[in-house]
Amino acid sequence: MSTTSFPEGFVWGVSTSAFQIEGATSADGRGPSIWDGFSADRAEACDHYRRYPEDVRLMKDLGMAAYRFSVSWPRVFPEGSGKVNEAGLDFYDRLVDELLAAGIKPYATLYHWDLPQALEKLGGWPSRDTAHHFADYASAVHDRLGDRVDTWFTLNEPWVAAFLGYGSGVHAPGRKSAAEAFRSAHHMLLAHGLATRALRSAGATRVGTVLNISPVMTPAQVSDFGRELSEEDAEAVARIDALANRQFLEPVLRGSYPAELLPIIERHGGLAHIRDGDLDTIAQPVDLLGVNYYTPQVVQAQPSETADPAFPGSEGVLFCTIPTAVTAMGWPIVPNCLSLLLRRLSREYPELDLMVTENGADFVDTMTGDGIHDVDRISFVEEHLRALQSAVEEGARVRGYLVWTLLDNLEWADGYRRKFGLVHVDFATQRRLLKDSALWYRDVIRRNGLTETRPKRPTLETVAARAGVSRATVSRVVNGEAAVSADVRTTVMRAVKELGYVPNAAARSLVTRRTNTIALVLSVPRQGDSLTAAVVQYVTSMLEGAGKQITLMLADTAESHRRIIQQAEARLVDGVVLLPPDRADTLAERLSRTGVPIVLLGKPAVASLVPYVDVDNAGGAEAATEHLLARGRRRIGMICGPTDLVSVQDRLAGHRAALHRAGLQPLLALADLTRASGTAAARQLLGDDPALDAIFAATDQLAIGALQAAREAGRRVPEDLAVVGFDDIDAASATTPGLTTVRVPLADQALALARLLLSRLEGRHTESVILPTRLVMRDST
């Protein structure tokens, strides 16, 4: 089969990071890092500290030419500065020697997020001193390894470390301050410049840095890169690009910050931390830019939107979910964006060499008797390599590609449940097992390229012919039926292994009689057309992308319920996505007895074994009430809505919990779901308690009704009366004043439903999904 080759000398390899694989967190004098206390899981990880010879042998066997590893700063300087821990450097001595003996070129990254805890106590990255300590650390590591390591990366993904670690708080050290995030970002850039200068003065051959760069685009541009944008969308795209990408690219490569970024930084904490001469230091010449690409940033203008904590200054920008295939982490898979990104970098910085230093995906791996057939990961990497090759053919200066990652590992705040590795790790035994993706990547490296056409997958008929049995027998074997004799089973499984056959729906259908049809059952919507529309759009798109056919069914009468049950009992559908009525209903219970996999939108009124997707209604109500309390409101009334609705019950419970902690009693008024009933309920609350200073409503419609009642009573909002809603319907941002509310993630609910059903169809263990809500603060409070 013919091959399309990459350029001669193209570098193939993998990347890892110290904290995620090394373990040995207290061995040989290593000090604690900010992640040791922040991570919920023990950081013994892959025990690479002791098992590195085995891991290097794996890389050698797979033909790797390069290995990008990170050095653990607290292993070298347990206190962050001061005396070097020679035993810590000894480990990297041994690792580098082992790599070179195996013919693998070491690429060293000096900072992959594991700041010594001792430096965090002294201020962390918001402190300018940390940048100078980093330069000293870089010099110490180069003094030991510089005779054998010729390529150095200073930082890995400073945007993540600064804005997830100090802005949104979802990464270590868990701080939540926009001002500290911007200061951290600048000091990391300064650290890069100081370290680059120190490395060069010590004789380093090649120095660069690694940035996570994501093309920023609107949903329409995902399928049409050339789509022209409205002025508002163009501004939103440019602003997020400045925050996510150009905040780091331009200081390093041009010696200046984007002009539109400086006012944002100044507004969130001033510019005093950016001193004269800093940008000259930051803009030290680099030899290589590492590019980490996983997925695009998809946004559009939305005037009422509040800023995402990870993107301070993103007010008026909505971060969008798009209906496309996703990884197990929910990241959209858009390979062509890698081509777009590499072409852009080569166009804007034509003399700069690039290397894709991270690209990979988390998928749910299934262990079988003959290995892990991770076809999704193979497809992901192959499609991205084709996109990369296209960019190279168009002139992009890409010198290599490193998969993320070698081993399943400790995935930061997500712990051990994420699987990015080419190699499976049993964390109980530390046993390594090559996945199919590792063997496939080995063949790519040997060929220095991809086959021109994708190899045709072996079919059920191919396996049957090889084994000398019928198609039905093959299907029974791959589905685990006990009726097949041991000899026949051995013959079939040998053929399956030799051909690399992965059982598909056709094979399973001979035994399971699957139809590849999914029933999307809609009740009369009571929670708003926007939720129903999102479910229809995203669930349909994702399931059809998985090869399923969708049948829409309306469950609004007893006769329609009977017809739906009959379809399931006759096995005319493989699964059911049910949007149940808001009030108690028996349809879900009756469907569950048919044995057909079913998933629900919304927590059922009665505890059930049927998995469901819902939002954190109680948590959202607590956040809304705590927001009012933090603003000094003490006479807070709640418009409940119908208390037989599960969502209203949970919102009421969250509201009561927040008041209870504050030592206050709830003031309640009942209503139905209409705006008019919200007005009436608010009138009642204001009449019962003239000192009322806030209203929390269980839905936005009720809250909008409360705004009307406030106007009628001559109460000023928010001066006299603060009002908060729930759901963030479109009308919430159009009220006067704009309504503070709790946003529920519509598209994410729909995508979670689809993923949950697909997991059930594959026979995987499934649990209900509760998605977080977010308080959106507007003028009504």
Coordinates of all heavy atoms in Angstrom, one line a residue, residues 155-185:
L155 N 8.8 26.6 29.4 CA 7.5 26.5 30.0 C 6.6 25.6 29.2 O 6.7 25.5 28.0 CB 6.8 27.9 30.2 CG 7.6 29.0 30.8 CD1 6.8 30.3 30.7 CD2 7.8 28.7 32.3
N156 N 5.7 25.0 29.9 CA 4.6 24.3 29.2 C 3.3 24.9 29.5 O 2.9 25.0 30.7 CB 4.5 22.8 29.6 CG 3.4 22.0 28.9 OD1 3.6 21.6 27.8 ND2 2.3 21.9 29.5
E157 N 2.6 25.4 28.5 CA 1.2 26.0 28.6 C 1.1 27.0 29.7 O 0.3 26.7 30.7 CB 0.2 24.8 28.7 CG 0.2 23.9 27.5 CD -0.9 22.9 27.5 OE1 -1.7 22.9 28.5 OE2 -1.0 22.1 26.6
P158 N 1.8 28.1 29.6 CA 1.6 29.1 30.7 C 0.2 29.6 30.9 O -0.2 30.0 32.0 CB 2.6 30.2 30.3 CG 2.8 30.0 28.9 CD 2.7 28.6 28.6
W159 N -0.6 29.6 29.8 CA -2.0 30.1 29.9 C -2.7 29.2 31.0 O -3.5 29.7 31.8 CB -2.8 30.0 28.6 CG -4.2 30.4 28.8 CD1 -4.7 31.7 28.7 CD2 -5.3 29.6 29.1 NE1 -6.0 31.7 29.0 CE2 -6.5 30.5 29.2 CE3 -5.5 28.2 29.3 CZ2 -7.7 30.0 29.5 CZ3 -6.8 27.8 29.6 CH2 -7.9 28.6 29.7
V160 N -2.6 27.9 30.9 CA -3.2 26.9 31.8 C -2.8 27.2 33.2 O -3.6 27.3 34.1 CB -3.0 25.5 31.4 CG1 -3.6 24.5 32.4 CG2 -3.6 25.2 30.0
A161 N -1.4 27.3 33.4 CA -0.9 27.4 34.7 C -1.4 28.8 35.4 O -1.7 28.8 36.6 CB 0.6 27.4 34.7
A162 N -1.5 29.8 34.6 CA -1.8 31.1 35.1 C -3.3 31.3 35.3 O -3.8 31.7 36.4 CB -1.3 32.2 34.2
F163 N -4.1 30.9 34.3 CA -5.5 31.3 34.3 C -6.4 30.1 34.9 O -7.5 30.4 35.4 CB -6.0 31.7 32.9 CG -5.5 33.0 32.5 CD1 -4.3 33.1 31.9 CD2 -6.1 34.2 32.9 CE1 -3.7 34.4 31.6 CE2 -5.6 35.4 32.6 CZ -4.4 35.5 32.0
L164 N -6.0 28.9 34.8 CA -6.7 27.8 35.5 C -6.2 27.7 37.0 O -7.0 27.3 37.9 CB -6.6 26.5 34.8 CG -7.2 26.5 33.4 CD1 -7.3 25.0 32.9 CD2 -8.6 27.1 33.3
G165 N -5.0 28.0 37.2 CA -4.4 27.9 38.5 C -4.7 29.1 39.4 O -4.9 29.0 40.6
Y166 N -4.7 30.3 38.8 CA -4.8 31.6 39.6 C -6.1 32.3 39.3 O -6.5 33.2 40.0 CB -3.6 32.5 39.4 CG -2.4 31.9 40.1 CD1 -1.5 31.1 39.3 CD2 -2.0 32.2 41.4 CE1 -0.4 30.5 39.9 CE2 -0.9 31.7 42.0 CZ 0.0 30.8 41.2 OH 1.1 30.3 41.8
G167 N -6.7 32.0 38.1 CA -7.9 32.7 37.7 C -9.2 32.0 38.1 O -10.0 32.5 38.9
S168 N -9.4 30.8 37.5 CA -10.6 30.1 37.8 C -10.5 29.1 39.0 O -11.5 28.7 39.6 CB -11.1 29.2 36.6 OG -10.1 28.2 36.3
G169 N -9.3 28.8 39.4 CA -9.0 28.0 40.5 C -9.3 26.5 40.3 O -9.2 25.7 41.3
V170 N -9.4 26.0 39.1 CA -9.7 24.6 38.9 C -8.4 23.8 38.8 O -8.5 22.6 38.9 CB -10.5 24.4 37.6 CG1 -11.9 25.1 37.7 CG2 -9.8 24.8 36.4
H171 N -7.3 24.4 38.7 CA -6.0 23.8 38.8 C -5.2 24.4 40.0 O -5.6 25.4 40.6 CB -5.2 24.0 37.6 CG -5.4 23.0 36.5 ND1 -4.6 22.8 35.4 CD2 -6.5 22.2 36.2 CE1 -5.1 21.9 34.6 NE2 -6.2 21.5 35.1
A172 N -4.2 23.6 40.4 CA -3.4 24.1 41.5 C -2.7 25.5 41.2 O -2.4 25.7 40.0 CB -2.3 23.1 41.9
P173 N -2.6 26.4 42.1 CA -2.9 26.3 43.5 C -4.3 26.5 43.9 O -4.6 26.6 45.1 CB -1.9 27.3 44.1 CG -1.9 28.4 43.1 CD -1.9 27.7 41.8
G174 N -5.2 26.8 43.0 CA -6.6 26.9 43.3 C -7.0 28.3 43.7 O -8.1 28.5 44.3
R175 N -6.2 29.3 43.3 CA -6.6 30.7 43.6 C -7.6 31.2 42.6 O -7.6 30.7 41.4 CB -5.4 31.6 43.6 CG -4.4 31.3 44.7 CD -3.5 32.5 44.9 NE -2.1 32.2 45.2 CZ -1.1 33.0 45.3 NH1 -1.4 34.3 45.2 NH2 0.1 32.7 45.5
K176 N -8.4 32.2 43.0 CA -9.4 32.7 42.1 C -9.3 34.3 42.0 O -10.1 35.0 42.7 CB -10.8 32.3 42.5 CG -11.0 30.8 42.5 CD -12.4 30.4 42.9 CE -12.6 28.9 42.9 NZ -14.0 28.5 43.3
S177 N -8.4 34.8 41.2 CA -8.2 36.2 41.2 C -7.7 36.6 39.8 O -6.7 36.1 39.3 CB -7.2 36.7 42.2 OG -6.7 38.0 41.9
A178 N -8.5 37.4 39.1 CA -8.1 37.8 37.7 C -6.8 38.6 37.8 O -5.9 38.4 36.9 CB -9.2 38.7 37.1
A179 N -6.6 39.5 38.8 CA -5.4 40.2 38.9 C -4.2 39.3 39.0 O -3.2 39.5 38.4 CB -5.5 41.2 40.0
E180 N -4.3 38.3 39.9 CA -3.2 37.4 40.1 C -2.9 36.5 38.9 O -1.8 36.2 38.6 CB -3.5 36.5 41.3 CG -3.5 37.2 42.6 CD -3.6 36.3 43.8 OE1 -4.1 35.1 43.6 OE2 -3.3 36.7 44.9
A181 N -4.0 36.2 38.1 CA -3.8 35.4 36.9 C -3.0 36.2 35.9 O -2.0 35.7 35.3 CB -5.2 35.0 36.3
F182 N -3.3 37.5 35.7 CA -2.5 38.3 34.7 C -1.1 38.5 35.2 O -0.2 38.5 34.4 CB -3.2 39.6 34.5 CG -4.4 39.6 33.6 CD1 -5.7 39.9 34.0 CD2 -4.2 39.1 32.2 CE1 -6.8 39.9 33.1 CE2 -5.3 39.1 31.4 CZ -6.6 39.4 31.8
R183 N -0.9 38.7 36.5 CA 0.4 38.9 37.0 C 1.2 37.6 36.9 O 2.4 37.6 36.5 CB 0.4 39.3 38.5 CG 0.0 40.8 38.7 CD 0.5 41.3 40.1 NE -0.2 40.5 41.2 CZ -1.3 40.8 41.7 NH1 -2.0 41.9 41.3 NH2 -1.8 40.1 42.7
S184 N 0.6 36.5 37.1 CA 1.2 35.2 37.0 C 1.7 35.0 35.5 O 2.8 34.5 35.2 CB 0.3 34.0 37.4 OG 0.0 34.1 38.8
A185 N 0.8 35.3 34.6 CA 1.1 35.1 33.2 C 2.3 35.9 32.8 O 3.3 35.5 32.1 CB -0.1 35.5 32.3

